[in-house]
Amino acid sequence: MLDYNALRLNQFLPGARVKLRNREKLAAVSDPLRRRRDIIKAITSPVGSLRDKANLLPLFYTVITKDIQSLFEDETETDTLSCLRSYNFSEEFISSFFAPFLEGIYLTPLSKQSSKMFYFVMKMFTVGSAALPMGGMQ
């Protein structure tokens, strides 16, 4: 059992920095669902088209409204790449945002990742917070 208080977790703000091709500066990705004041940043971010951002809404709806058990029982199992394509995300958005993010977690290509685990990870990042212990990790 983890003693979370003893870890003295430092939470990150929701969002990410993304390295885009042909750009030196990292592009910000904001989460306006949890930080309402970031709505303009989210809409105007060069990461993903406006259509890609609109296509995030059904994904967020799924992971927010379903409990973890339902995500594993109700959703059809496929690979994560096929799952992302079913939401009609552009290949550019998949390759510039989802691939580096998820392949960094699983250390395997999107085509080899479970879509059910993708829903689980998206739920955790959508409703929870990424954090590191104050003393670091070993």
Side-chain angles (χ1 to χ4, degrees):
M1 187 79 124
L2 285 176
D3 182 351
Y4 288 101
N5 291 330
L7 290 173
R8 299 181 317 182
L9 295 172
N10 292 314
Q11 295 181 350
F12 293 95
L13 291 174
R17 300 261 183 219
V18 178
K19 174 68 175 117
L20 297 174
R21 275 186 301 211
N22 304 321
R23 293 178 75 115
E24 284 188 40
K25 189 175 179 183
L26 296 177
V29 175
S30 300
D31 182 353
L33 297 178
R34 290 193 288 169
R35 290 177 45 101
R36 303 265 189 261
R37 65 179 176 245
D38 286 350
I39 186 76
I40 300 301
K41 283 184 193 177
I43 292 170
T44 60
S45 170
V47 180
S49 67
L50 196 53
R51 181 176 166 215
D52 288 320
K53 293 166 189 169
N55 289 340
L56 284 168
L57 296 175
L59 173 59
F60 288 147
Y61 180 81
T62 297
V63 299
I64 290 170
T65 60
K66 291 189 175 191
D67 62 31
I68 293 170
Q69 183 174 345
S70 296
L71 289 174
F72 282 99
E73 291 176 355
D74 298 349
E75 297 303 319
T76 303
E77 178 64 69
T78 184
D79 62 89
T80 299
L81 182 58
S82 297
C83 180
L84 292 169
R85 287 178 174 156
S86 76
Y87 282 95
N88 296 311
F89 293 121
S90 69
E91 293 299 318
E92 176 64 27
F93 189 48
I94 291 171
S95 66
S96 66
F97 179 72
F98 283 111
F101 172 59
L102 295 167
E103 290 173 4
I105 293 171
Y106 292 109
L107 305 177
T108 189
L110 295 176
S111 61
K112 304 285 186 196
Q113 297 174 24
S114 161
S115 60
K116 291 185 179 194
M117 284 303 297
F118 162 69
Y119 283 117
F120 172 76
V121 167
M122 287 303 296
K123 181 171 186 72
M124 296 300 99
F125 275 100
T126 301
V127 302
S129 297
L132 285 175
M134 185 174 281
M137 297 187 302
Q138 297 179 359

